[in-house]
Amino acid sequence: QGQLVESGGGSVQAGGSLTLSCVGSPSALGSRAMGWFRQAPGKEREFVAALNWSSRTKYYTDSVKGRFTISRDNAKSTVTLQMNSLKPEDTAVYYCAAGWLKTNVPDLSVDYWGQGTQVTVSA
């Protein structure tokens, strides 16, 4: 509990930008990959982006490619999701996650979840 803590959510107009950050405890991070999922009202939680410990491998879901950028700073135990050109359909609760990249598929097998942060994009 409380091993991943997100910040940076909020409300923005379409076309705007937001940056989400997640700080993890050393026990949660270790050599794990980190990523972001989101869950819109009435929908299932979906994968957004993830990267491995070295940042050499990054995955994005198709709907955010070219608009979102994931990065991490292992020295600070943080992962960041830079979200540009936001659309109303990006509105969701965004969850930070730590786990392991799946093989040959853009997804993350999750060991730890954050509590979530709300992102609202208005038209």
Side-chain angles (χ1 to χ4, degrees):
Q1 297 297 325
Q3 303 207 55
L4 299 176
V5 180
E6 302 100 332
S7 62
S11 297
V12 65
Q13 290 189 326
S17 299
L18 283 174
T19 302
L20 304 183
S21 296
C22 173
V23 179
S25 65
S27 61
L29 296 185
S31 58
R32 288 182 174 86
M34 296 190 74
W36 293 89
F37 289 72
R38 66 186 180 187
Q39 187 167 19
K43 294 187 177 181
E44 294 187 352
R45 192 173 299 188
E46 66 170 354
F47 171 82
V48 176
L51 76 174
N52 66 353
W53 187 87
S54 69
S55 300
R56 291 176 181 173
T57 301
K58 298 183 181 181
Y59 290 155
Y60 295 94
T61 193
D62 286 346
S63 63
V64 308
K65 286 180 180 177
R67 300 188 299 122
F68 290 12
T69 302
I70 189 170
S71 60
R72 69 188 290 168
D73 184 336
N74 292 329
K76 296 181 179 179
S77 299
T78 60
V79 62
T80 299
L81 186 68
Q82 176 65 44
M83 305 186 294
N84 298 327
S85 302
L86 283 161
K87 304 176 181 180
E89 51 263 44
D90 294 318
T91 295
V93 177
Y94 282 70
Y95 296 90
C96 178
W100 308 96
L101 294 182
K102 294 186 178 180
T103 303
N104 296 325
V105 60
D107 203 350
L108 185 69
S109 179
V110 179
D111 291 334
Y112 299 101
W113 292 100
Q115 82 285 356
T117 186
Q118 177 70 45
V119 170
T120 303
V121 184
S122 57

XYZ file of all heavy atoms in Angstrom, residues 64-116:
414
model
N -2.527 6.933 -28.342
C -1.740 8.021 -27.747
C -0.389 8.210 -28.433
O 0.343 9.143 -28.086
C -1.529 7.807 -26.232
C -2.859 7.566 -25.531
C -0.532 6.692 -25.953
N -0.061 7.352 -29.383
C 1.234 7.472 -30.071
C 1.351 8.836 -30.747
O 0.416 9.296 -31.400
C 1.384 6.357 -31.108
C 1.672 4.999 -30.514
C 1.819 3.930 -31.590
C 2.109 2.575 -30.980
N 2.186 1.501 -32.011
N 2.510 9.473 -30.567
C 2.737 10.785 -31.140
C 2.232 11.924 -30.281
O 2.538 13.087 -30.557
N 1.459 11.610 -29.253
C 0.920 12.663 -28.373
C 1.452 12.539 -26.941
O 1.665 13.543 -26.273
C -0.609 12.600 -28.341
C -1.265 12.789 -29.694
C -2.781 12.917 -29.560
N -3.407 11.738 -28.987
C -4.148 11.753 -27.874
N -4.343 12.874 -27.220
N -4.705 10.632 -27.438
N 1.642 11.320 -26.465
C 2.104 11.078 -25.094
C 3.543 10.583 -25.134
O 3.946 9.860 -26.049
C 1.250 10.011 -24.416
C -0.162 10.420 -24.094
C -0.729 11.583 -24.597
C -0.943 9.617 -23.268
C -2.040 11.950 -24.303
C -2.238 9.963 -22.955
C -2.794 11.122 -23.485
N 4.298 10.954 -24.103
C 5.680 10.493 -23.965
C 5.901 10.031 -22.534
O 5.638 10.769 -21.586
C 6.677 11.612 -24.298
O 6.453 12.080 -25.636
C 8.104 11.096 -24.189
N 6.405 8.804 -22.399
C 6.708 8.269 -21.070
C 8.213 8.315 -20.857
O 8.997 8.083 -21.787
C 6.165 6.836 -20.909
C 6.284 6.373 -19.458
C 6.844 5.860 -21.874
C 5.554 5.069 -19.168
N 8.603 8.628 -19.626
C 10.021 8.664 -19.280
C 10.168 8.312 -17.805
O 9.185 8.325 -17.053
C 10.609 10.049 -19.565
O 9.955 11.051 -18.809
N 11.372 7.988 -17.394
C 11.610 7.668 -15.984
C 12.971 8.192 -15.563
O 13.878 8.339 -16.388
C 11.490 6.169 -15.735
C 12.558 5.310 -16.339
C 12.215 3.820 -16.173
N 12.307 3.379 -14.789
C 11.839 2.205 -14.353
N 11.238 1.368 -15.203
N 11.976 1.861 -13.083
N 13.075 8.439 -14.264
C 14.336 8.844 -13.642
C 14.570 7.876 -12.496
O 13.962 8.015 -11.431
C 14.245 10.288 -13.154
C 15.555 10.803 -12.581
O 16.378 9.985 -12.134
O 15.748 12.022 -12.575
N 15.420 6.896 -12.698
C 15.623 5.867 -11.687
C 16.263 6.417 -10.420
O 16.014 5.924 -9.323
C 16.461 4.727 -12.263
C 15.718 3.956 -13.327
O 14.485 3.835 -13.289
N 16.441 3.431 -14.304
N 17.084 7.425 -10.561
C 17.719 8.023 -9.379
C 16.684 8.667 -8.461
O 16.869 8.705 -7.248
C 18.753 9.049 -9.815
N 15.594 9.168 -9.064
C 14.542 9.814 -8.282
C 13.337 8.904 -8.087
O 12.335 9.316 -7.506
C 14.109 11.106 -8.957
C 15.212 12.158 -9.040
C 14.710 13.426 -9.706
C 15.809 14.474 -9.758
N 15.356 15.728 -10.426
N 13.410 7.682 -8.617
C 12.312 6.711 -8.493
C 11.006 7.272 -9.033
O 9.942 7.101 -8.425
C 12.133 6.291 -7.030
O 13.302 5.681 -6.538
N 11.072 7.944 -10.173
C 9.879 8.571 -10.743
C 9.662 8.126 -12.187
O 10.606 7.794 -12.907
C 9.970 10.100 -10.721
O 11.120 10.500 -11.483
C 10.098 10.631 -9.305
N 8.411 8.139 -12.569
C 8.028 7.948 -13.959
C 7.075 9.080 -14.329
O 6.253 9.500 -13.509
C 7.378 6.570 -14.201
C 6.095 6.417 -13.408
C 7.128 6.342 -15.677
N 7.218 9.596 -15.522
C 6.457 10.755 -15.974
C 5.727 10.436 -17.268
O 6.265 9.732 -18.125
C 7.397 11.957 -16.188
O 8.038 12.275 -14.943
C 6.627 13.175 -16.664
N 4.521 10.937 -17.386
C 3.763 10.815 -18.629
C 3.437 12.230 -19.098
O 2.628 12.926 -18.491
C 2.484 10.013 -18.425
C 1.698 9.715 -19.701
C 2.478 8.743 -20.595
C 0.320 9.130 -19.379
N 4.081 12.655 -20.157
C 3.818 13.944 -20.768
C 2.720 13.759 -21.799
O 2.872 12.982 -22.741
C 5.074 14.508 -21.433
C 4.856 15.813 -22.182
C 4.465 16.942 -21.263
O 5.042 17.108 -20.191
N 3.472 17.733 -21.667
N 1.611 14.461 -21.603
C 0.444 14.299 -22.467
C 0.188 15.600 -23.210
O -0.098 16.634 -22.591
C -0.778 13.912 -21.642
C -0.553 12.677 -20.780
S -2.047 12.125 -19.924
C -2.322 13.500 -18.825
N 0.315 15.568 -24.516
C 0.091 16.730 -25.371
C -1.097 16.486 -26.297
O -1.530 15.344 -26.477
C 1.340 17.017 -26.211
C 2.556 17.352 -25.369
O 2.436 17.958 -24.307
N 3.726 16.951 -25.838
N -1.590 17.554 -26.872
C -2.707 17.468 -27.821
C -3.852 16.625 -27.246
O -4.386 15.740 -27.909
C -2.238 16.881 -29.150
O -1.194 17.651 -29.706
N -4.209 16.908 -26.020
C -5.214 16.109 -25.331
C -6.576 16.227 -25.999
O -6.938 17.290 -26.548
C -5.298 16.517 -23.867
C -4.151 15.965 -23.000
C -4.023 16.759 -21.715
C -4.389 14.498 -22.717
N -7.315 15.127 -25.943
C -8.646 15.039 -26.546
C -9.663 14.698 -25.464
O -9.297 14.089 -24.436
C -8.661 13.946 -27.611
C -7.612 14.112 -28.709
C -7.631 12.924 -29.658
C -6.565 13.072 -30.746
N -6.575 11.916 -31.676
N -10.923 15.023 -25.669
C -11.935 14.651 -24.671
C -11.934 13.153 -24.368
O -12.196 12.758 -23.217
C -13.244 15.103 -25.332
C -12.835 16.268 -26.175
C -11.483 15.894 -26.720
N -11.629 12.327 -25.339
C -11.611 10.882 -25.108
C -10.436 10.418 -24.250
O -10.361 9.247 -23.881
C -11.614 10.108 -26.440
C -10.557 10.556 -27.427
C -11.100 11.540 -28.449
O -11.847 12.483 -28.066
O -10.745 11.383 -29.648
N -9.528 11.330 -23.917
C -8.448 11.007 -22.969
C -8.912 11.153 -21.519
O -8.163 10.808 -20.600
C -7.241 11.923 -23.196
C -6.563 11.699 -24.539
O -6.407 10.527 -24.946
O -6.191 12.697 -25.186
N -10.106 11.659 -21.315
C -10.645 11.825 -19.969
C -10.757 10.475 -19.267
O -11.370 9.540 -19.789
C -12.023 12.500 -20.018
O -11.872 13.831 -20.530
C -12.656 12.563 -18.638
N -10.133 10.365 -18.097
C -10.113 9.105 -17.361
C -9.376 9.308 -16.049
O -8.737 10.349 -15.836
C -9.412 8.011 -18.170
N -9.453 8.295 -15.196
C -8.548 8.210 -14.054
C -7.299 7.481 -14.536
O -7.389 6.393 -15.115
C -9.182 7.466 -12.876
C -8.181 7.336 -11.732
C -10.441 8.188 -12.408
N -6.157 8.100 -14.317
C -4.884 7.533 -14.765
C -4.170 6.894 -13.572
O -4.029 7.516 -12.522
C -4.016 8.619 -15.390
C -4.443 8.964 -16.794
C -5.644 9.643 -17.024
C -3.687 8.590 -17.892
C -6.066 9.942 -18.315
C -4.087 8.889 -19.193
C -5.280 9.562 -19.388
O -5.698 9.856 -20.660
N -3.702 5.669 -13.781
C -3.054 4.895 -12.729
C -1.603 4.611 -13.091
O -1.318 4.141 -14.206
C -3.769 3.565 -12.518
C -5.179 3.687 -12.023
C -6.252 3.785 -12.904
C -5.450 3.704 -10.655
C -7.550 3.897 -12.456
C -6.754 3.810 -10.190
C -7.785 3.912 -11.096
O -9.075 4.028 -10.635
N -0.718 4.872 -12.166
C 0.675 4.474 -12.305
C 0.787 2.993 -11.925
O 0.046 2.508 -11.058
C 1.521 5.330 -11.362
S 3.278 4.954 -11.343
N 1.708 2.291 -12.563
C 1.865 0.870 -12.291
C 3.326 0.473 -12.407
O 4.079 1.065 -13.187
C 1.032 0.047 -13.273
N 3.695 -0.536 -11.640
C 5.039 -1.107 -11.701
C 4.914 -2.608 -11.904
O 4.089 -3.257 -11.244
C 5.820 -0.802 -10.435
N 5.709 -3.148 -12.810
C 5.613 -4.582 -13.092
C 6.617 -4.998 -14.133
O 7.784 -4.582 -14.071
N 6.140 -5.759 -15.133
C 7.033 -6.343 -16.127
C 6.401 -6.231 -17.509
O 5.222 -6.538 -17.679
C 7.328 -7.803 -15.785
C 7.799 -7.937 -14.374
C 7.044 -8.260 -13.281
C 9.113 -7.666 -13.879
N 7.813 -8.229 -12.143
C 9.089 -7.870 -12.479
C 10.318 -7.285 -14.492
C 10.220 -7.699 -11.679
C 11.435 -7.118 -13.693
C 11.389 -7.331 -12.315
N 7.193 -5.767 -18.463
C 6.691 -5.666 -19.830
C 6.347 -7.055 -20.366
O 7.090 -8.011 -20.146
C 7.728 -5.016 -20.753
C 8.083 -3.560 -20.497
C 9.083 -3.073 -21.539
C 6.849 -2.680 -20.496
N 5.220 -7.139 -21.035
C 4.864 -8.393 -21.682
C 5.671 -8.543 -22.978
O 6.162 -7.558 -23.527
C 3.362 -8.443 -21.952
C 2.546 -8.485 -20.656
C 1.070 -8.691 -20.925
C 0.292 -8.776 -19.603
N -1.156 -8.972 -19.817
N 5.787 -9.772 -23.437
C 6.618 -10.038 -24.605
C 5.821 -9.846 -25.890
O 4.748 -10.415 -26.048
C 7.160 -11.478 -24.552
O 7.883 -11.655 -23.330
C 8.091 -11.737 -25.723
N 6.318 -9.007 -26.754
C 5.751 -8.813 -28.094
C 4.334 -8.266 -28.102
O 3.618 -8.404 -29.101
C 5.788 -10.124 -28.882
C 7.212 -10.593 -29.118
O 8.121 -9.786 -29.308
N 7.403 -11.898 -29.085
N 3.930 -7.659 -27.023
C 2.623 -7.023 -26.979
C 2.738 -5.789 -26.091
O 3.379 -5.842 -25.046
C 1.537 -7.995 -26.449
C 1.859 -8.464 -25.053
C 0.169 -7.346 -26.491
N 2.171 -4.665 -26.509
C 2.286 -3.446 -25.701
C 1.400 -3.533 -24.461
O 0.229 -3.154 -24.494
C 1.829 -2.343 -26.649
C 0.931 -3.035 -27.609
C 1.461 -4.417 -27.769
N 1.971 -4.029 -23.379
C 1.206 -4.189 -22.158
C 2.173 -4.438 -21.004
O 3.356 -4.700 -21.202
C 0.224 -5.354 -22.277
C -0.955 -5.235 -21.324
O -0.928 -4.353 -20.427
O -1.904 -6.022 -21.458
N 1.636 -4.330 -19.808
C 2.439 -4.464 -18.592
C 1.745 -5.416 -17.654
O 0.543 -5.265 -17.405
C 2.587 -3.077 -17.935
C 3.475 -2.948 -16.713
C 4.931 -3.138 -17.089
C 3.266 -1.585 -16.051
N 2.484 -6.401 -17.142
C 1.984 -7.268 -16.080
C 2.279 -6.571 -14.762
O 3.432 -6.343 -14.420
C 2.688 -8.621 -16.148
O 2.239 -9.462 -15.109
N 1.224 -6.205 -14.032
C 1.354 -5.274 -12.911
C 1.492 -5.968 -11.568
O 0.704 -6.848 -11.214
C 0.152 -4.312 -12.876
C 0.266 -3.353 -11.694
C 0.066 -3.526 -14.175
N 2.503 -5.531 -10.814
C 2.672 -5.963 -9.424
C 2.105 -4.924 -8.447
O 1.594 -5.284 -7.379
C 4.155 -6.169 -9.108
C 4.749 -7.360 -9.838
O 3.999 -8.293 -10.168
O 5.972 -7.350 -10.093
N 2.262 -3.643 -8.771
C 1.833 -2.571 -7.879
C 1.068 -1.511 -8.662
O 1.429 -1.166 -9.777
C 3.048 -1.904 -7.209
C 3.868 -2.836 -6.361
C 5.058 -3.371 -6.841
C 3.463 -3.179 -5.068
C 5.821 -4.229 -6.064
C 4.222 -4.035 -4.295
C 5.397 -4.559 -4.791
O 6.146 -5.411 -4.020
N 0.013 -0.993 -7.989
C -0.784 0.085 -8.556
C -0.709 1.324 -7.679
O -0.628 1.220 -6.452
C -2.254 -0.323 -8.647
C -2.592 -1.387 -9.622
C -2.803 -2.712 -9.354
C -2.780 -1.238 -11.031
N -3.116 -3.382 -10.504
C -3.113 -2.507 -11.561
C -2.719 -0.154 -11.910
C -3.370 -2.724 -12.913
C -2.971 -0.364 -13.257
C -3.292 -1.636 -13.750
N -0.793 2.497 -8.329
C -1.016 3.720 -7.593
C -2.495 3.902 -7.338
O -3.323 3.086 -7.755
N -2.845 5.002 -6.671
C -4.235 5.223 -6.282
C -5.055 5.897 -7.371
O -6.284 5.922 -7.297
C -4.297 6.072 -4.998
C -4.164 7.576 -5.194
C -2.747 8.033 -5.510
O -1.804 7.245 -5.513
N -2.595 9.322 -5.766
N -4.390 6.447 -8.375
C -5.071 7.075 -9.499
C -5.166 8.582 -9.374
O -5.226 9.127 -8.276
